[in-house]
């Protein structure tokens, strides 16, 4: 009896020690992630805001493609419409920031729902073509609607005094990212998340199980558009000027690639890959310029070519060796931190 009691006590102490160690590791990682914001000045505050916005976009694509298995190559339309809606509310109507972000999120959700209703009967390649066509059409029509977007001059999106500084706005972006991350986690752990997983695996089997496939696919489009529009609203106030050239197809393609490299259905992988893709074109030139020895082929043209080249190389490595993306590499660590969780 005494031996059993001692064994139980040791197990209890070991569990408490493991929990404390995991909490300490998480806190250390949070402090490490916060150092650029605390010590990096306004430049790094701007970069962190951009990284958080990209992470929200990555999570929105992950909701549609990772959770529901629906492909989108026109995500720039949802983000762009959200950005222009937020800018319109701020510059034309003088609405507070919260109303502008809400308008951007609702505009993105409504647009995605319309695309979803059109694309409900198609899957795979045909769905990708529908979303691609819509994104390209939005670039040449909606984004050039002068009354809404300001035409070539763009739309202004001034920040309110509360978040006028880059540090304050970075904290806002990180706060919104935390909310989107929590919503994504809750979605997966609910009945709706399990239904989306069934739709992703096989729509016909999901239908035989009584799941409303059409409704859940439309819900996935809407939720994805909601997060994308919210990210667009943040982007508008981050840049403070929104133009149609900010939302071209090349940008949408980068967003899809960063989600794939991060790992579909891996929240941590998507966030880290999105942050990397957001910061790569901003930090790579400075890093190369600071090298003690400058290769003769390095010039301004190479600086512009290297980021896309690195993206392609990363994609090929992921497709060949790590089909689960960065999330596959991080899964052992995340399982330990969450004590058996898979995210």
């Amino acid at each position: 009896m005494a031996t059993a009691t001692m064994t139980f006590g040791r197990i209890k102490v070991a569990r408490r020690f493991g929990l404390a160690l995991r909490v300490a590791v998480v806190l250390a990682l949070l402090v490490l992630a916060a150092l650029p914001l605390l010590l990096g000045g306004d430049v790094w505050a701007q970069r962190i805001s951009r990284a958080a916005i990209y992470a929200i976009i990555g999570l929105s694509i992950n909701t549609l493609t990772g959770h529901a298995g629906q492909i989108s190559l026109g995500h720039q339309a949802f983000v762009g419409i959200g950005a222009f809606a937020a800018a319109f509310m701020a510059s034309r109507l003088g609405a507070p920031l919260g109303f502008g972000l809400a308008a951007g999120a609702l505009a993105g959700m409504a647009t995605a729902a319309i695309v979803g209703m059109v694309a409900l009967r198609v899957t795979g390649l045909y769905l990708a073509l529908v979303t691609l066509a819509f994104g390209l059409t939005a670039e040449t029509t909606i984004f050039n609607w002068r009354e809404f977007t300001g035409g070539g001059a763009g739309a202004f999106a001034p920040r309110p005094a509360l978040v006028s500084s880059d540090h304050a706005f970075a904290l806002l972006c990180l706060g919104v990212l935390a909310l989107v991350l929590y919503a994504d986690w809750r979605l997966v752990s609910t009945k709706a998340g399990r239904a989306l997983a069934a739709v992703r695996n096989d729509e016909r089997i999901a239908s035989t199980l009584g799941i409303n496939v059409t409704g859940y696919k439309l819900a996935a489009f809407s939720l994805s558009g909601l997060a994308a529009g919210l990210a667009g609203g943040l982007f508008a106030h981050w840049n403070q000027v929104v133009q149609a050239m900010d939302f071209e197809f090349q940008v949408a393609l980068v967003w899809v690639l960063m989600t794939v490299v991060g790992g579909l259905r891996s929240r941590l992988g998507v966030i880290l890959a999105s942050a990397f893709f957001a910061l790569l074109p901003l930090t790579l030139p400075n890093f190369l310029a600071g090298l003690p020895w400058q290769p003769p082929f390095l010039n301004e043209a190479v600086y512009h070519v290297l980021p896309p080249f690195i993206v392609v190389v990363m994609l090929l490595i992921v497709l060949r060796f790590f089909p689960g993306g960065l999330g596959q590499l991080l899964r052992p660590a995340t399982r330990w931190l969450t004590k058996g969780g898979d995210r």
Side-chain angles (χ1 to χ4, degrees):
M1 185 69 179
T3 303
T5 303
M6 292 177 60
T7 302
F8 179 76
R10 290 174 181 175
I11 293 175
K12 196 172 182 180
V13 171
R15 287 179 176 176
R16 289 180 177 176
F17 176 77
L19 177 61
L21 182 60
R22 287 192 292 270
V23 171
V25 170
V26 170
L27 291 177
L29 292 175
L30 290 176
V31 171
L32 184 64
L35 285 179
L37 181 61
L38 298 175
L39 306 177
D42 291 339
V43 173
W44 269 102
Q46 293 177 358
R47 292 173 177 175
I48 290 173
S49 299
R50 177 184 168 94
I53 293 169
Y54 267 53
I56 296 173
I57 296 173
L59 290 174
S60 74
I61 297 176
N62 188 52
T63 299
L64 184 61
T65 305
H67 298 332
Q70 309 301 306
I71 302 174
S72 173
L73 295 179
H75 233 68
Q76 79 273 25
F78 310 146
V79 179
I81 289 174
F84 282 116
F88 182 87
M89 293 289 291
S91 60
R92 301 289 184 87
L93 303 182
L97 176 64
F99 285 96
L101 295 179
L106 292 176
M109 182 178 68
T111 307
I114 293 173
V115 176
M117 286 188 288
V118 173
L120 283 177
R121 299 294 181 182
V122 295
T123 57
L125 175 61
Y126 297 104
L127 176 60
L129 291 176
V130 169
T131 57
L132 173 62
F134 178 79
L136 295 176
T137 301
E139 291 181 28
T140 57
T141 56
I142 301 176
F143 294 167
N144 289 319
W145 181 17
R146 184 174 297 275
E147 288 75 13
F148 180 56
T149 66
F156 293 95
R159 299 178 192 170
L162 185 63
V163 291
S164 59
S165 69
D166 292 324
H167 280 79
F169 192 76
L171 292 175
L172 172 65
C173 293
L174 291 174
V176 175
L177 171 60
L179 290 176
V180 173
L181 181 62
Y182 175 76
D184 185 271
W185 173 73
R186 289 295 301 163
L187 172 66
V188 173
S189 60
T190 61
K191 178 182 177 181
R194 293 187 289 272
L196 287 175
V199 171
R200 179 188 71 240
N201 293 329
D202 194 307
E203 294 184 13
R204 289 177 295 180
I205 295 178
S207 180
T208 60
L209 294 175
I211 295 174
N212 185 355
V213 174
T214 300
Y216 279 107
K217 287 172 67 175
L218 187 59
F221 267 98
S222 300
L223 291 175
S224 178
L226 178 72
L230 181 59
L234 290 172
F235 177 85
H237 289 283
W238 172 76
N239 205 38
Q240 301 192 62
V241 177
V242 188
Q243 295 179 311
M245 68 179 64
D246 295 324
F247 309 104
E248 296 178 339
F249 172 68
Q250 293 89 334
V251 179
L253 188 59
V254 168
W255 292 339
V256 174
L257 294 181
M258 72 187 187
T259 307
V260 174
V261 170
L264 294 176
R265 299 185 297 280
S266 173
R267 285 180 286 270
L268 180 59
V270 169
I271 290 175
L272 292 178
S274 301
F276 176 80
F277 278 53
L279 298 178
L280 180 64
L282 302 180
T283 57
L284 184 62
N286 293 334
F287 172 77
L288 295 177
L291 293 176
W293 176 75
Q294 293 292 319
F297 60 85
L298 283 182
N299 51 48
E300 291 295 329
V302 175
Y303 289 158
H304 291 288
V305 172
L306 270 181
F309 176 76
I310 293 175
V311 168
V312 172
V313 171
M314 291 180 65
L315 178 64
L316 293 176
I317 293 175
V318 165
L319 294 178
R320 177 61 181 87
F321 299 104
F322 309 104
L326 185 59
Q328 178 180 340
L329 298 176
L330 297 174
R331 191 166 292 122
T334 55
R335 281 180 175 173
W336 178 77
L337 287 174
T338 58
K339 198 178 180 180
D342 60 354
R343 294 297 191 274

